[in-house]
Amino acid sequence: QVELVESGGGLVQPGGSLTLSCQASGSILGIADMAWYRQVPGRERELVAIVHQGGITQYSDSVKGRFTISRDTVQNTVTLQMNLLNPEDTAIYYCKAEKIASMSEFYSELWGQGTLVTVSS
């Protein structure tokens, strides 16, 4: 069974930095895309950043230039480096993996449990 586990959330002051990590565990053969989403209560979940299997990255306009997504295809991890954080970045951040092939099963998508990021003074 494949699972995604996020870590790194917490409280940070405006202008500060935080790094989120997501580890995919299980007998994984390959993952197509890995991404970070975020959700504020009462609002839809939105894409923050995605890194495709070939390494191409895409960002939402609201985080472009401040956040950096990267992945390790051997360790099956994805990291989100967040700089110049502001209160509008406060949300639950979710890791998502798409098209996951494991030894026993194929998953179209998987989500992590979410990690809370709070930007406040």
Side-chain angles (χ1 to χ4, degrees):
Q1 182 177 356
V2 177
E3 292 182 326
L4 301 181
V5 178
E6 300 109 333
S7 61
L11 173 65
V12 62
Q13 292 187 342
S17 299
L18 208 59
T19 302
L20 305 182
S21 297
C22 174
Q23 173 75 60
S25 63
S27 301
I28 298 170
L29 299 176
I31 301 174
D33 301 335
M34 299 190 81
W36 287 96
Y37 285 71
R38 66 186 182 187
Q39 187 170 24
V40 175
R43 297 175 63 178
E44 290 190 1
R45 193 171 296 187
E46 63 171 358
L47 175 66
V48 175
I50 185 168
V51 54
H52 299 284
Q53 192 170 27
I56 294 174
T57 58
Q58 294 174 282
Y59 298 89
S60 69
D61 289 341
S62 62
V63 306
K64 202 172 293 182
R66 299 187 298 122
F67 290 11
T68 302
I69 189 171
S70 60
R71 68 184 288 182
D72 184 325
T73 55
V74 175
Q75 299 296 324
N76 293 312
T77 60
V78 62
T79 299
L80 185 68
Q81 175 65 43
M82 305 184 292
N83 298 324
L84 298 175
L85 286 160
N86 58 63
E88 290 69 39
D89 295 315
T90 296
I92 299 174
Y93 284 70
Y94 297 89
C95 173
K96 180 185 179 185
E98 299 178 354
K99 300 177 184 176
I100 308 108
S102 72
M103 293 287 287
S104 59
E105 198 167 349
F106 177 82
Y107 304 82
S108 59
E109 65 178 37
L110 286 174
W111 291 89
Q113 80 286 356
T115 185
L116 176 63
V117 172
T118 303
V119 184
S120 175
S121 55

